[in-house]
């Protein structure tokens, strides 16, 4: 297993908390390397720590990855991703901005070899133009990228 993502996160079940953050009709995404071939854009989020609530986890992850502070409102949906050696259950919440400065953050688990490449807001057309493997699989469950806010339920990716 030479891929650092597989080495750190592989062969274990991870519970992740992710946030859908829309500002001025654009959605915030983080570009991670090592999760696919080339770019992989996904909503901010990350793994829960033992004893940590979903809300605390998501606020921490937003600050680490994007430099932004958010307020968490509604639980939206869950997704399950199984592609050996990775297995994750992701809980998605609607969030709203509450301050901070947008910047490319870090993934503390990665130590020296960071996987976050870029952080930015996308308009809906830009997301729809990304190839399926370049964006989080949850976008494929919506008829149009902007309809991600309407998704409810449990999705297998």
């Amino acid at each position: 297993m030479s891929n650092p993502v597989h080495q750190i996160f592989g062969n274990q079940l991870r519970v992740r908390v992710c946030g859908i953050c829309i500002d001025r009709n654009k959605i915030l995404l983080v570009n991670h390397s090592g999760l696919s071939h080339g770019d992989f854009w996904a909503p901010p989020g990350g793994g829960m720590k033992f004893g940590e609530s979903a809300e605390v986890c998501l606020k921490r992850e937003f600050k680490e990855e994007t430099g932004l502070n958010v307020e968490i409102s509604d639980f939206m949906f869950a997704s399950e991703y199984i592609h050996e050696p990775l297995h994750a259950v992701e809980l998605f919440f609607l969030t709203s901005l509450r301050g901070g400065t947008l910047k490319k953050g870090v993934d503390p688990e990665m130590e020296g070899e960071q996987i976050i490449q870029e952080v930015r807001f996308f308009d809906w057309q830009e997301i729809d133009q990304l190839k399926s493997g370049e964006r989080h699989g949850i976008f494929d469950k919506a008829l149009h990228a902007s309809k991600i806010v309407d998704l409810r339920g449990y999705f297998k990716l």
Side-chain angles (χ1 to χ4, degrees):
M1 218 188 298
S2 62
N3 182 325
V5 171
H6 293 175
Q7 290 174 352
I8 293 170
F9 303 117
N11 299 311
Q12 60 184 315
L13 172 63
R14 293 190 72 221
V15 177
R16 300 183 73 249
V17 185
C18 305
I20 302 296
C21 182
I22 298 169
D23 186 49
R24 297 181 186 112
N25 208 29
K26 293 184 176 187
I27 186 170
L28 181 61
L29 298 179
V30 177
N31 186 0
H32 296 86
S33 65
L35 297 175
S36 67
H37 301 298
D39 292 330
F40 182 75
W41 292 93
M48 290 180 72
K49 296 178 181 178
F50 181 80
E52 183 178 53
S53 71
E55 182 177 356
V56 168
C57 174
L58 189 53
K59 287 180 178 182
R60 174 182 53 76
E61 288 290 340
F62 259 85
K63 192 68 171 173
E64 288 174 357
E65 292 185 356
T66 72
L68 298 174
N69 300 314
V70 292
E71 181 177 308
I72 290 101
S73 54
D74 297 332
F75 172 72
M76 299 173 67
F77 54 85
S79 68
E80 183 175 25
Y81 175 84
I82 303 174
H83 187 71
E84 289 188 24
L86 302 177
H87 184 183
V89 174
E90 299 174 311
L91 308 173
F92 281 83
F93 291 84
L94 188 61
T95 67
S96 53
L97 293 177
R98 290 295 177 251
T101 302
L102 183 65
K103 65 177 184 173
K104 179 178 89 166
V106 297
D107 192 338
E109 294 94 341
M110 297 306 296
E111 296 175 1
E113 193 169 344
Q114 290 297 308
I115 62 172
I116 296 175
Q117 302 300 305
E118 186 179 356
V119 179
R120 73 178 181 94
F121 283 90
F122 276 76
D123 66 35
W124 303 117
Q125 184 178 2
E126 289 176 301
I127 295 170
D128 282 335
Q129 291 174 350
L130 291 173
K131 295 175 186 164
S132 182
E134 294 177 346
R135 62 185 185 185
H136 193 288
I138 200 63
F139 286 106
D140 296 334
K141 302 297 183 181
L143 296 175
H144 179 270
S146 65
K147 299 297 182 188
I148 194 169
V149 296
D150 298 331
L151 292 178
R152 297 295 181 272
Y154 189 84
F155 300 92
K156 292 183 180 182
L157 304 179

